[in-house]
């Protein structure tokens, strides 16, 4: 094994095709790393503390999405954060040594408080301020050294490294390795309207979309507005369908580009071909998901089993932490 990987996602709803490459990366990592993939429902609570029932449903959806995309509980430890209380204990202990300004200066903090404030949600809470603290605990509680995350998470990771360093320095013992971000080339998948893919814009294609829905959604995609008739010359560089062809139909994308520029393929045909390609990618995931969804008890057992494995790893590390802090 090449190292210990830890990563997590907040259970905010079904995953979409923009998450596919992140999951593919996780699936690769589980082959040669010790992996912890955690559904971080406490992190979801930092902003959705008043929508706790929804989080429960979302956990189930997230587990289904992860497993159907190829995460394997025989290779990775997959669990729900709140089932491993050691995360909370480490969060508490690390909070004792973390200077408040480290949290206050986190670039996303004030921004998000303002952003959500405008939408009528007050998240100026102690818990939300501590979001990066909790994330640091998630990572350090397994002594994870390799953290696959998106660029947006780099400040949080830097924070986790600083906390690890401070702990090791204060207690004069090298307990925590400094976790490193593992950035992979995650292609940006635009939403079907060309904007950022997002739930709130309702412009997403979920991992569990049916064949019919894929046809419908590809039909709605924005193409070159200058193309009115099929034989008008196209400009793929301004077309969202073309971006998708590059991502989901790489073998034919050059040919499609040529034909589009010559007016030899129309948008309707181009979209129909894309729907087929998306279906080729999502079909197997959807089938696996449907099969798993029929066995909710097995999913629950799998998560409980994952939590047991996670607790075993985390509790050994917490013993060590308590010892250096003279706690019993
Ligand atoms: N903050 C991460 C996100 O929003 C989720 C997360 C929580 C996480 N704990 C983590 C990611 C630990 C990596 C490691 O995407």
């Amino acid at each position: 094994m090449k190292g210990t990987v830890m990563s997590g996602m907040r259970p905010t709803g079904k995953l979409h095709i923009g998450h596919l490459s992140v999951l593919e990366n996780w699936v690769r990592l589980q082959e040669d790393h010790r992996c912890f993939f955690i559904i971080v429902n406490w992190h979801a609570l930092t902003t959705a503390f008043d929508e706790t029932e929804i989080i429960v449903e979302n956990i189930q959806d997230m587990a289904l999405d992860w497993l159907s995309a190829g995460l394997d509980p025989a290779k990775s430890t997959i669990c729900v954060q709140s089932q491993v209380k050691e995360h909370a204990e480490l969060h508490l202990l690390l909070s004792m040594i973390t200077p408040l300004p480290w949290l206050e200066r986190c670039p996303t903090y004030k921004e998000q408080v303002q952003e959500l404030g405008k939408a009528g949600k007050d998240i100026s809470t102690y818990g939300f301020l501590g979001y990066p603290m909790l994330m640091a605990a998630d990572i350090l509680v397994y002594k994870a050294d390799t953290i696959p995350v998106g660029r947006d998470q780099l400040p949080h990771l830097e924070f986790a490294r600083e906390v690890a360093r401070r702990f090791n320095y204060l207690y004069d013992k090298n307990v925590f390795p400094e976790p490193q971000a593992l950035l992979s080339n995650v292609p940006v998948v635009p939403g079907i309207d060309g904007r950022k893919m997002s739930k709130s814009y309702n412009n997403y294609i979920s991992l569990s979309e049916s064949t019919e829905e894929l046809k419908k959604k590809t039909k709605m995609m924005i193409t070159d507005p200058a193309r009115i008739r099929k034989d008008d010359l196209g400009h793929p560089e301004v077309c969202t369908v073309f971006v998708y062809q590059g991502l989901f139909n790489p073998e034919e994308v050059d040919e499609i580009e040529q034909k589009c520029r010559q007016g030899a393929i129309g948008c309707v045909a181009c979209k129909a071909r894309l729907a087929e390609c998306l279906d080729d990618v999502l079909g197997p995931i959807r089938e696996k998901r449907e099969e798993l969804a029929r066995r909710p008890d097995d999913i629950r057992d799998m998560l409980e089993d994952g939590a047991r494995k996670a607790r075993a790893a985390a509790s050994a590390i917490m013993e060590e932490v308590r010892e250096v802090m003279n706690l019993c």
Side-chain angles (χ1 to χ4, degrees), residues 122-142:
D122 182 9
I123 50 159
S124 53
T125 58
Y126 178 50
F128 186 68
L129 178 68
Y131 186 108
M133 187 85 261
L134 185 56
M135 181 163 158
D138 294 341
I139 295 169
L140 300 176
V141 84
Y142 303 109

Side-chain angles (χ1 to χ4, degrees), residues 6-10 40 43 81 131 134-136 138-139 147-149 152-153 156-157:
M6 191 272 142
S7 197
M9 288 187 200
R10 279 169 297 140
V40 289
H43 277 100
Q81 186 184 35
Y131 186 108
L134 185 56
M135 181 163 158
D138 294 341
I139 295 169
I147 318 299
V149 281
D152 62 315
Q153 297 296 313
H156 292 160
L157 221 75

Side-chain angles (χ1 to χ4, degrees), residues 90-99 126 133:
L90 186 57
H91 170 270
L92 175 78
L93 296 180
L94 295 178
S95 78
M96 304 302 168
I97 65 163
T98 303
Y126 178 50
M133 187 85 261

Side-chain angles (χ1 to χ4, degrees), residues 178-245:
E178 285 183 34
Q180 304 297 325
L182 181 67
L183 293 173
S184 51
N185 269 333
V186 177
V188 178
V189 186
I192 58 172
D193 59 359
R195 292 188 290 174
K196 181 180 151 61
M197 188 177 285
S198 147
K199 261 241 163 87
S200 48
Y201 295 156
N202 197 20
N203 64 354
Y204 61 92
I205 295 178
S206 75
L207 287 187
S208 46
E209 221 74 72
S210 70
T211 307
E212 274 318 300
E213 285 164 327
L214 286 176
K215 282 188 196 149
K216 245 199 321 220
K217 291 204 170 174
T218 44
K219 276 196 189 126
M220 285 159 59
M221 286 176 80
I222 307 283
T223 55
D224 175 2
R227 263 194 116 184
I228 296 158
R229 278 172 320 227
K230 171 171 173 278
D231 47 4
D232 289 338
L233 304 188
H235 306 89
E237 61 279 6
V238 299
C239 177
T240 307
V241 177
F242 183 67
V243 177
Y244 273 61
Q245 297 284 12

Side-chain angles (χ1 to χ4, degrees), residues 261-287:
R261 287 192 194 284
Q262 297 162 347
I265 181 176
C267 296
V268 174
C270 180
K271 286 173 167 183
R273 180 69 193 121
L274 175 64
E276 286 171 1
C277 295
L278 283 170
D279 200 44
D280 288 345
V281 175
L282 297 185
I285 298 177
R286 184 198 310 133
E287 273 162 39

Side-chain angles (χ1 to χ4, degrees), residues 1-6 29-37 75 142-148 177 182:
M1 290 287 149
K2 288 184 183 161
T4 300
V5 165
M6 191 272 142
L29 284 167
Q30 70 182 351
E31 294 306 323
D32 52 8
H33 290 73
R34 185 170 164 251
C35 291
F36 296 88
F37 296 119
K75 294 175 182 162
Y142 303 109
K143 296 194 182 183
D145 47 39
T146 307
I147 318 299
L182 181 67

